[in-house]
Amino acid sequence: MNKFIIQSAFNVMKNGLKVKRGEEVVIVADDKQNEQLVDAFTTAGALLGAKTGKVIYPVVSTQNEEPMGIVAESLKSADAAVVLPVVSITHVEAIRQARKQGTRVLVCSGLDERMMTGAVNADYEKMSELTSQFVAMLESAETVRVTCPNGTDITFPIKGRSTMAVDGICEEAGQWNFAPAGTTATAPLEGATNGTMVFDGSLAPFGIVDKPVVLKVADGMITEIEGGNTAVEFEALLRSFNNPNVYNIAEIGIGTNDKAVLSGKLIEDERILGAFHVGIGKSLNIGGNVDAPFHTDGMILKPTMWIDNRLVVENGTILV
């Protein structure tokens, strides 16, 4: 087993999840995940003196589909958990209910060994400071506007909404966070987002887009989807749920990790320094009011971003 990967997992569990001696910790992964990566986190937990076990379950057919029942029960019974599947279950009820029971949850959906040597090992102090700056600005703001030469021009009302600092720290009962870290998460007000957004980076679950995906948004809902094959497949996926809430504009955030690179995996892409992500579908887990059977995210790589009337990002360069 790669000693560096074990050391990186150890640092994540010690300094992010704040694992303590004697705690019960579960590592949850699907059967598509690299066994060595799962074992690295299991070993790291044991080295920290925790009672550490792992649950491997059959991969879900689409992201944020509920996993088998044993996963939910294992998460609820643990003091802390690392969620490490290839196919994301970030926004499932199993995690939400576990947090209600007090489980600390570190979500690492899509994490791979390459990220353990890159985005996971960013300068956390520098990244946390920048992330906290954006949280403070967003929580005192009324609107966020994002434009881009790719055709993006969209406004998100956020007055009164809390913003999550995705800084990797997960130390209080019921708290959750992510690794790699380095972004923010705000749920825009329902029924109020308007404009056009163009995903030119990646769009889960498809990865890096073949052509920019153009989405028209009116009153908080996607009304049109245009582009290449990725756009066609995405439209078909949303339509397959036969539920209008999957078109909801659920989340926005700005990347603050200078070691994150475009990989086609949202767990890293959302962290790219100066990039902007938009979540679609379910918003219950991030402070919104919309339940849906699906949540996904897409990337705008070089945004220009205003928080109220303050220019804070220009062509992907952070100005604060």
Side-chain angles (χ1 to χ4, degrees), residues 149-188:
N150 67 12
T152 295
D153 191 345
I154 189 165
T155 300
F156 308 89
I158 60 169
K159 184 177 181 179
R161 283 288 162 87
S162 61
T163 296
M164 179 182 179
V166 181
D167 57 7
I169 306 302
C170 189
E171 55 189 343
E172 299 177 5
Q175 187 177 7
W176 71 334
N177 222 295
F178 297 80
T183 188
T184 61
T186 305

Side-chain angles (χ1 to χ4, degrees), residues 134 137-138 141-149 152-158 252 254 274 276 302-320:
F134 273 105
M137 288 188 291
L138 289 165
E142 295 191 4
T143 61
V144 170
R145 182 186 175 203
V146 174
T147 66
C148 183
T152 295
D153 191 345
I154 189 165
T155 300
F156 308 89
I158 60 169
I252 59 172
I254 186 74
F276 190 84
K302 299 290 184 181
T304 293
M305 174 182 177
W306 288 265
I307 297 179
D308 287 338
N309 293 319
R310 180 182 179 185
L311 180 63
V312 295
V313 180
E314 188 171 18
N315 296 324
T317 298
I318 293 176
L319 304 179
V320 298

Side-chain angles (χ1 to χ4, degrees), residues 27-33 38 54-58 68 70-71:
I27 314 299
V28 173
D30 59 31
D31 55 10
K32 296 296 184 182
Q33 184 55 273
V38 176
K54 59 184 178 181
V55 173
I56 309 299
Y57 63 91
M68 61 188 297
I70 193 174
V71 174

Side-chain angles (χ1 to χ4, degrees), residues 175-293:
Q175 187 177 7
W176 71 334
N177 222 295
F178 297 80
T183 188
T184 61
T186 305
L189 297 176
E190 290 76 18
T193 297
N194 289 282
T196 299
M197 56 188 183
V198 182
F199 295 149
D200 56 9
S202 57
L203 171 60
F206 307 104
I208 297 173
V209 301
D210 65 327
K211 294 181 179 179
V213 178
V214 182
L215 302 105
K216 300 294 180 65
V217 178
D219 300 327
M221 306 291 279
I222 296 170
T223 58
E224 296 179 34
I225 303 174
E226 299 176 347
N229 290 333
T230 304
V232 171
E233 292 176 6
F234 183 54
E235 184 174 27
L237 176 61
L238 294 183
R239 190 169 56 249
S240 72
F241 290 101
N242 195 30
N243 185 317
N245 286 351
V246 299
Y247 297 89
N248 173 60
I249 301 302
E251 175 187 358
I252 59 172
I254 186 74
T256 58
N257 185 327
D258 63 2
K259 287 194 174 182
V261 297
L262 184 67
S263 65
K265 295 184 176 182
L266 266 295
I267 191 71
E268 179 172 23
D269 295 351
E270 289 181 348
R271 281 74 172 145
I272 296 170
L273 186 68
F276 190 84
H277 77 265
V278 180
I280 297 162
K282 185 174 182 176
S283 65
L284 286 180
N285 288 346
I286 47 177
N289 300 322
V290 175
D291 195 7

